PDB file of all heavy atoms in Angstrom:
ATOM      1  N   PHE A 119     -69.845  46.565  74.892  1.00 85.00           N
ATOM      2  CA  PHE A 119     -70.555  47.700  74.293  1.00 85.00           C
ATOM      3  C   PHE A 119     -71.956  47.913  74.859  1.00 85.00           C
ATOM      4  O   PHE A 119     -72.848  48.408  74.177  1.00 85.00           O
ATOM      5  CB  PHE A 119     -70.642  47.552  72.773  1.00 85.00           C
ATOM      6  CG  PHE A 119     -69.325  47.237  72.140  1.00 85.00           C
ATOM      7  CD1 PHE A 119     -69.112  46.014  71.535  1.00 85.00           C
ATOM      8  CD2 PHE A 119     -68.281  48.140  72.178  1.00 85.00           C
ATOM      9  CE1 PHE A 119     -67.888  45.706  70.959  1.00 85.00           C
ATOM     10  CE2 PHE A 119     -67.048  47.843  71.604  1.00 85.00           C
ATOM     11  CZ  PHE A 119     -66.856  46.619  71.000  1.00 85.00           C
ATOM     12  N   GLY A 120     -72.156  47.555  76.105  1.00 81.00           N
ATOM     13  CA  GLY A 120     -73.415  47.872  76.772  1.00 81.00           C
ATOM     14  C   GLY A 120     -74.639  47.274  76.112  1.00 81.00           C
ATOM     15  O   GLY A 120     -75.730  47.846  76.157  1.00 81.00           O
ATOM     16  N   GLY A 121     -74.493  46.123  75.488  1.00 86.00           N
ATOM     17  CA  GLY A 121     -75.648  45.445  74.892  1.00 86.00           C
ATOM     18  C   GLY A 121     -76.095  46.016  73.571  1.00 86.00           C
ATOM     19  O   GLY A 121     -77.211  45.728  73.121  1.00 86.00           O
ATOM     20  N   LEU A 122     -75.275  46.840  72.908  1.00 93.00           N
ATOM     21  CA  LEU A 122     -75.666  47.435  71.626  1.00 93.00           C
ATOM     22  C   LEU A 122     -75.383  46.514  70.434  1.00 93.00           C
ATOM     23  O   LEU A 122     -75.876  46.774  69.336  1.00 93.00           O
ATOM     24  CB  LEU A 122     -74.932  48.771  71.425  1.00 93.00           C
ATOM     25  CG  LEU A 122     -75.262  49.859  72.443  1.00 93.00           C
ATOM     26  CD1 LEU A 122     -74.420  51.106  72.165  1.00 93.00           C
ATOM     27  CD2 LEU A 122     -76.754  50.201  72.386  1.00 93.00           C
ATOM     28  N   ALA A 123     -74.586  45.451  70.644  1.00 96.00           N
ATOM     29  CA  ALA A 123     -74.215  44.546  69.554  1.00 96.00           C
ATOM     30  C   ALA A 123     -74.702  43.134  69.854  1.00 96.00           C
ATOM     31  O   ALA A 123     -74.745  42.696  71.022  1.00 96.00           O
ATOM     32  CB  ALA A 123     -72.700  44.537  69.357  1.00 96.00           C
ATOM     33  N   THR A 124     -75.074  42.422  68.808  1.00 97.00           N
ATOM     34  CA  THR A 124     -75.548  41.034  68.906  1.00 97.00           C
ATOM     35  C   THR A 124     -74.695  40.146  68.002  1.00 97.00           C
ATOM     36  O   THR A 124     -74.373  40.530  66.874  1.00 97.00           O
ATOM     37  CB  THR A 124     -77.027  40.932  68.485  1.00 97.00           C
ATOM     38  OG1 THR A 124     -77.824  41.679  69.409  1.00 97.00           O
ATOM     39  CG2 THR A 124     -77.499  39.488  68.472  1.00 97.00           C
ATOM     40  N   ASN A 125     -74.331  38.988  68.503  1.00 97.00           N
ATOM     41  CA  ASN A 125     -73.587  38.007  67.715  1.00 97.00           C
ATOM     42  C   ASN A 125     -74.521  36.858  67.312  1.00 97.00           C
ATOM     43  O   ASN A 125     -75.250  36.326  68.156  1.00 97.00           O
ATOM     44  CB  ASN A 125     -72.408  37.452  68.524  1.00 97.00           C
ATOM     45  CG  ASN A 125     -71.358  38.502  68.793  1.00 97.00           C
ATOM     46  OD1 ASN A 125     -71.098  39.365  67.949  1.00 97.00           O
ATOM     47  ND2 ASN A 125     -70.740  38.444  69.975  1.00 97.00           N
ATOM     48  N   ARG A 126     -74.459  36.474  66.030  1.00 98.00           N
ATOM     49  CA  ARG A 126     -75.383  35.457  65.511  1.00 98.00           C
ATOM     50  C   ARG A 126     -74.612  34.340  64.812  1.00 98.00           C
ATOM     51  O   ARG A 126     -73.679  34.589  64.063  1.00 98.00           O
ATOM     52  CB  ARG A 126     -76.368  36.083  64.530  1.00 98.00           C
ATOM     53  CG  ARG A 126     -77.376  35.090  63.941  1.00 98.00           C
ATOM     54  CD  ARG A 126     -78.346  35.782  63.018  1.00 98.00           C
ATOM     55  NE  ARG A 126     -77.685  36.281  61.801  1.00 98.00           N
ATOM     56  CZ  ARG A 126     -78.303  37.025  60.876  1.00 98.00           C
ATOM     57  NH1 ARG A 126     -79.565  37.385  61.064  1.00 98.00           N
ATOM     58  NH2 ARG A 126     -77.636  37.424  59.800  1.00 98.00           N
ATOM     59  N   THR A 127     -75.056  33.108  65.062  1.00 98.00           N
ATOM     60  CA  THR A 127     -74.496  31.929  64.398  1.00 98.00           C
ATOM     61  C   THR A 127     -75.590  31.214  63.613  1.00 98.00           C
ATOM     62  O   THR A 127     -76.704  31.041  64.112  1.00 98.00           O
ATOM     63  CB  THR A 127     -73.907  30.940  65.424  1.00 98.00           C
ATOM     64  OG1 THR A 127     -72.875  31.587  66.166  1.00 98.00           O
ATOM     65  CG2 THR A 127     -73.347  29.702  64.746  1.00 98.00           C
ATOM     66  N   LYS A 128     -75.261  30.804  62.388  1.00 98.00           N
ATOM     67  CA  LYS A 128     -76.149  29.973  61.571  1.00 98.00           C
ATOM     68  C   LYS A 128     -75.355  28.775  61.056  1.00 98.00           C
ATOM     69  O   LYS A 128     -74.257  28.940  60.547  1.00 98.00           O
ATOM     70  CB  LYS A 128     -76.705  30.769  60.385  1.00 98.00           C
ATOM     71  CG  LYS A 128     -77.597  31.936  60.779  1.00 98.00           C
ATOM     72  CD  LYS A 128     -77.909  32.801  59.559  1.00 98.00           C
ATOM     73  CE  LYS A 128     -78.653  32.024  58.493  1.00 98.00           C
ATOM     74  NZ  LYS A 128     -78.966  32.884  57.312  1.00 98.00           N
ATOM     75  N   ILE A 129     -75.914  27.574  61.211  1.00 98.00           N
ATOM     76  CA  ILE A 129     -75.348  26.381  60.588  1.00 98.00           C
ATOM     77  C   ILE A 129     -76.273  25.992  59.442  1.00 98.00           C
ATOM     78  O   ILE A 129     -77.453  25.701  59.649  1.00 98.00           O
ATOM     79  CB  ILE A 129     -75.195  25.228  61.588  1.00 98.00           C
ATOM     80  CG1 ILE A 129     -74.176  25.601  62.667  1.00 98.00           C
ATOM     81  CG2 ILE A 129     -74.760  23.950  60.881  1.00 98.00           C
ATOM     82  CD1 ILE A 129     -73.927  24.494  63.675  1.00 98.00           C
ATOM     83  N   ASP A 130     -75.718  25.995  58.231  1.00 98.00           N
ATOM     84  CA  ASP A 130     -76.514  25.698  57.039  1.00 98.00           C
ATOM     85  C   ASP A 130     -76.424  24.242  56.608  1.00 98.00           C
ATOM     86  O   ASP A 130     -77.296  23.752  55.874  1.00 98.00           O
ATOM     87  CB  ASP A 130     -76.063  26.587  55.874  1.00 98.00           C
ATOM     88  CG  ASP A 130     -76.263  28.064  56.176  1.00 98.00           C
ATOM     89  OD1 ASP A 130     -77.327  28.421  56.706  1.00 98.00           O
ATOM     90  OD2 ASP A 130     -75.348  28.860  55.887  1.00 98.00           O
ATOM     91  N   ALA A 131     -75.364  23.543  56.997  1.00 98.00           N
ATOM     92  CA  ALA A 131     -75.177  22.155  56.570  1.00 98.00           C
ATOM     93  C   ALA A 131     -74.127  21.495  57.452  1.00 98.00           C
ATOM     94  O   ALA A 131     -73.325  22.180  58.100  1.00 98.00           O
ATOM     95  CB  ALA A 131     -74.751  22.084  55.102  1.00 98.00           C
ATOM     96  N   PHE A 132     -74.126  20.169  57.461  1.00 98.00           N
ATOM     97  CA  PHE A 132     -73.073  19.430  58.154  1.00 98.00           C
ATOM     98  C   PHE A 132     -72.906  18.067  57.495  1.00 98.00           C
ATOM     99  O   PHE A 132     -73.787  17.574  56.783  1.00 98.00           O
ATOM    100  CB  PHE A 132     -73.364  19.282  59.654  1.00 98.00           C
ATOM    101  CG  PHE A 132     -74.588  18.467  59.988  1.00 98.00           C
ATOM    102  CD1 PHE A 132     -74.527  17.079  60.087  1.00 98.00           C
ATOM    103  CD2 PHE A 132     -75.800  19.091  60.215  1.00 98.00           C
ATOM    104  CE1 PHE A 132     -75.649  16.328  60.392  1.00 98.00           C
ATOM    105  CE2 PHE A 132     -76.932  18.348  60.525  1.00 98.00           C
ATOM    106  CZ  PHE A 132     -76.862  16.962  60.611  1.00 98.00           C
ATOM    107  N   GLY A 133     -71.754  17.459  57.746  1.00 98.00           N
ATOM    108  CA  GLY A 133     -71.476  16.123  57.234  1.00 98.00           C
ATOM    109  C   GLY A 133     -70.781  15.289  58.285  1.00 98.00           C
ATOM    110  O   GLY A 133     -70.046  15.817  59.131  1.00 98.00           O
ATOM    111  N   LEU A 134     -71.014  13.976  58.244  1.00 98.00           N
ATOM    112  CA  LEU A 134     -70.388  13.027  59.167  1.00 98.00           C
ATOM    113  C   LEU A 134     -69.759  11.904  58.354  1.00 98.00           C
ATOM    114  O   LEU A 134     -70.381  11.370  57.423  1.00 98.00           O
ATOM    115  CB  LEU A 134     -71.416  12.439  60.136  1.00 98.00           C
ATOM    116  CG  LEU A 134     -72.280  13.414  60.943  1.00 98.00           C
ATOM    117  CD1 LEU A 134     -73.271  12.645  61.813  1.00 98.00           C
ATOM    118  CD2 LEU A 134     -71.428  14.337  61.782  1.00 98.00           C
ATOM    119  N   PHE A 135     -68.531  11.529  58.722  1.00 98.00           N
ATOM    120  CA  PHE A 135     -67.813  10.437  58.060  1.00 98.00           C
ATOM    121  C   PHE A 135     -67.325   9.501  59.153  1.00 98.00           C
ATOM    122  O   PHE A 135     -66.371   9.824  59.871  1.00 98.00           O
ATOM    123  CB  PHE A 135     -66.647  10.990  57.235  1.00 98.00           C
ATOM    124  CG  PHE A 135     -67.079  12.066  56.260  1.00 98.00           C
ATOM    125  CD1 PHE A 135     -67.029  13.407  56.634  1.00 98.00           C
ATOM    126  CD2 PHE A 135     -67.557  11.730  55.005  1.00 98.00           C
ATOM    127  CE1 PHE A 135     -67.431  14.401  55.758  1.00 98.00           C
ATOM    128  CE2 PHE A 135     -67.962  12.710  54.124  1.00 98.00           C
ATOM    129  CZ  PHE A 135     -67.906  14.048  54.490  1.00 98.00           C
ATOM    130  N   THR A 136     -67.994   8.348  59.302  1.00 98.00           N
ATOM    131  CA  THR A 136     -67.828   7.555  60.514  1.00 98.00           C
ATOM    132  C   THR A 136     -67.637   6.071  60.241  1.00 98.00           C
ATOM    133  O   THR A 136     -68.034   5.540  59.212  1.00 98.00           O
ATOM    134  CB  THR A 136     -69.070   7.717  61.422  1.00 98.00           C
ATOM    135  OG1 THR A 136     -70.243   7.385  60.689  1.00 98.00           O
ATOM    136  CG2 THR A 136     -69.184   9.134  61.942  1.00 98.00           C
ATOM    137  N   GLY A 137     -67.035   5.408  61.240  1.00 98.00           N
ATOM    138  CA  GLY A 137     -67.005   3.956  61.320  1.00 98.00           C
ATOM    139  C   GLY A 137     -68.011   3.509  62.378  1.00 98.00           C
ATOM    140  O   GLY A 137     -68.324   4.262  63.313  1.00 98.00           O
ATOM    141  N   GLN A 138     -68.522   2.267  62.233  1.00 98.00           N
ATOM    142  CA  GLN A 138     -69.540   1.759  63.144  1.00 98.00           C
ATOM    143  C   GLN A 138     -69.142   0.386  63.677  1.00 98.00           C
ATOM    144  O   GLN A 138     -68.502  -0.402  62.986  1.00 98.00           O
ATOM    145  CB  GLN A 138     -70.888   1.606  62.433  1.00 98.00           C
ATOM    146  CG  GLN A 138     -71.517   2.868  61.929  1.00 98.00           C
ATOM    147  CD  GLN A 138     -72.876   2.595  61.280  1.00 98.00           C
ATOM    148  OE1 GLN A 138     -73.372   1.468  61.294  1.00 98.00           O
ATOM    149  NE2 GLN A 138     -73.462   3.632  60.705  1.00 98.00           N
ATOM    150  N   VAL A 139     -69.541   0.109  64.908  1.00 98.00           N
ATOM    151  CA  VAL A 139     -69.476  -1.226  65.489  1.00 98.00           C
ATOM    152  C   VAL A 139     -70.820  -1.479  66.153  1.00 98.00           C
ATOM    153  O   VAL A 139     -71.284  -0.652  66.956  1.00 98.00           O
ATOM    154  CB  VAL A 139     -68.341  -1.358  66.522  1.00 98.00           C
ATOM    155  CG1 VAL A 139     -68.346  -2.761  67.125  1.00 98.00           C
ATOM    156  CG2 VAL A 139     -66.993  -1.067  65.890  1.00 98.00           C
ATOM    157  N   GLY A 140     -71.452  -2.615  65.823  1.00 98.00           N
ATOM    158  CA  GLY A 140     -72.765  -2.907  66.371  1.00 98.00           C
ATOM    159  C   GLY A 140     -72.916  -4.362  66.779  1.00 98.00           C
ATOM    160  O   GLY A 140     -72.084  -5.213  66.448  1.00 98.00           O
ATOM    161  N   TYR A 141     -73.996  -4.636  67.510  1.00 98.00           N
ATOM    162  CA  TYR A 141     -74.339  -5.996  67.930  1.00 98.00           C
ATOM    163  C   TYR A 141     -75.788  -6.234  67.551  1.00 98.00           C
ATOM    164  O   TYR A 141     -76.666  -5.421  67.871  1.00 98.00           O
ATOM    165  CB  TYR A 141     -74.138  -6.175  69.428  1.00 98.00           C
ATOM    166  CG  TYR A 141     -74.217  -7.609  69.892  1.00 98.00           C
ATOM    167  CD1 TYR A 141     -73.067  -8.406  69.947  1.00 98.00           C
ATOM    168  CD2 TYR A 141     -75.434  -8.185  70.253  1.00 98.00           C
ATOM    169  CE1 TYR A 141     -73.123  -9.732  70.359  1.00 98.00           C
ATOM    170  CE2 TYR A 141     -75.505  -9.510  70.667  1.00 98.00           C
ATOM    171  CZ  TYR A 141     -74.352 -10.279  70.718  1.00 98.00           C
ATOM    172  OH  TYR A 141     -74.419 -11.587  71.115  1.00 98.00           O
TER     173      TYR A 141
END
Side-chain angles (χ1 to χ4, degrees):
F119 310 113
L122 297 177
T124 296
N125 293 324
R126 180 178 67 186
T127 300
K128 296 170 61 179
I129 295 182
D130 298 316
F132 64 85
L134 307 178
F135 306 93
T136 55
Q138 296 182 5
V139 178
Y141 191 90

